Amino acid sequence: MMLAGLIFATDDADDRVGTLAATLPFGGLTLIEFQARLLIGAGVSQLLVVVTRLTPELLGAIARIGRRGASVDVVRTAVEAADKLHPLARVLVLADGLVTTGDVLSLLTEEGGDALLTVSDLEAAPGFERVGAETAWAGVARLDAKRVAEVAAMPKDYDFQSTLLRVAAQGEAAHVRLPAALSGGAHGIERDSRALAARGTIMLAVLVSKPVVWADRYILAPLARLALPPLMARTVHSMAVAASGIVLGLAAVAAIFFDRAAPGIALAILAILVFTIGAALSWLRDEEPLAAFQRNAIPGMAALAALLLGHVTSTSDDTATGWTLGIAAVVAAALAERAAGPGAKRRWWGSPVAYLLIMLPLSIAGMPLIALAAAGAYATTTLAAAIEGLRDRP
């Protein structure tokens, strides 16, 4: 299926005269860049941006979108859009000012006919257009290119977005309900800069709330959500957050090396928390290399803590037990991560922060070898469950 994207960028911001809502800042990007990023991530290879006027901010945003590898065309009318679209393309349509998540967009990226993402009229956020007596359009649609051609055949003074929506509704497009839990409150239409900034904070909270594993979901994610609003309000630079994680990680390594296992593991957990927050901030601000570094630093920090604890213990006891337990725990944890595919993890499974949380109380009690053995046993149990899961797959 060939996918094209259609983004509307025609309405002005509510609180900034002469500024298009699509060019309002969102994280470290403009809103339209964030929308384009979601569409490209969904597999869109051609983007059409519907405009009524071109501003310097919009031109700059479109130029930056073009560097992502997808072709970008600016159109003013349905006629121009119909001329640009491949006749066999399926078109993902995003409403003007829409904020959403990749998970929501994935509801309409599957094969199928025309479809509208909808909510009940009672749940409709401001800006959602009604498409039925008790139904409102939630700002995302999957349409055949011929629907755009049908709008192109109508009088030019019709509003493109609203007319396209009516054509789709009259063509009996399927209604796909938006599950409230899927968006986490991040989905909506915003044309006010302050409301959009608040929506960005909600988006970050959604990003750090995704983990399934208990330690990440119930300990790491709540702490991250508490820290994110002040960081966003003060516009703390992503690099500063990453640097803080590195400093905490180095402090953890130093503490473990100098035989202070409990403080070192506690600092390693804090470093992972900071890297989790930093990865979410960097992702929202389109700093993917920095986000990837911090995502990789999370398991790296846990592995380094375990290996170093094993080394210090073995050196102190003049045996190879610590090295053996540390290496075994890291290998089992790495294999478990490798075996657990996306969406396959269970709530009780291990994760980098879970292994450190298991080790912390035992280290406080002065039993580093037992701490490593417990983490290794937990990782091995997780690995066994992951392998069984692979065997059960068709």
Side-chain angles (χ1 to χ4, degrees), residues 285-311:
R285 294 169 177 173
D286 201 20
E287 298 165 342
E288 186 54 38
L290 188 57
F293 164 76
Q294 292 177 96
R295 286 194 296 267
N296 292 328
I298 291 171
M301 184 73 254
L304 186 57
L307 291 173
L308 190 57
L309 181 59
H311 169 73

Side-chain angles (χ1 to χ4, degrees), residues 90 111-115 142-144 174:
R90 307 296 294 169
E111 291 279 356
D114 292 350
R142 181 187 65 227
L143 303 176
D144 194 284

